[in-house]
Amino acid sequence: MNLIYALILTALAGEPFTMERVVAVVGSEPVLHSEVITLMIESGTDEESAVHAAPGTGLYDSALEDLITEKLLVEAARRENVYPTREELQFAVDQSMEEARSGFSSEGEFIGYLASMGMTVGSLRASYETILAARMAGENFVRSRASR
């Protein structure tokens, strides 16, 4: 549930911020300012502090380092062929979608809430796919290395 709120809050923060600003590059993958802010909110930083955080501050830099580490793990997982399968990813996304829905009394309320935030069920699912694929790839890589 926290992840859905973090995604929505980041997308619709009270004050505008540049969502396309690249703050780092890992291999060929950019790390966006909005990804750092999303991770901060997801990790428990209040929305106001996260939205106004800037590079060079402790919380921001810590979240940025976490994202860089995650992207490095994803690249390593791809090289080692331990990236999650489509079935594994779909199962995890389905679980996350169900968890997000459980916070609402009906499907209509859930869809209405997403719509009020400028999102759809499809866009939320796509966000989950991106986030969970990276996390699962990193976990798979670490597990594969630990079992050697």
Side-chain angles (χ1 to χ4, degrees), residues 13-31:
E15 295 193 24
F17 61 92
T18 304
M19 294 186 71
E20 295 82 19
R21 187 171 73 186
V22 175
V23 293
V25 177
V26 178
S28 61
E29 290 289 315
V31 178

Side-chain angles (χ1 to χ4, degrees), residues 38-96:
T38 297
L39 181 60
M40 290 175 67
I41 293 170
E42 182 182 320
S43 299
T45 302
D46 68 275
E47 177 189 356
E48 184 74 20
S49 297
V51 169
H52 294 291
T57 60
L59 288 173
Y60 188 96
D61 287 351
S62 177
L64 177 59
E65 286 178 26
D66 289 348
L67 284 169
I68 290 170
T69 299
E70 184 175 280
K71 288 184 184 284
L72 287 169
L73 287 171
V74 167
E75 283 191 11
R78 284 193 173 112
R79 278 194 312 271
E80 297 281 326
N81 293 319
V82 293
Y83 200 79
T85 66
R86 190 77 189 142
E87 294 78 23
E88 291 170 327
L89 181 57
Q90 285 308 308
F91 180 76
V93 169
D94 289 345
Q95 283 184 315
S96 294

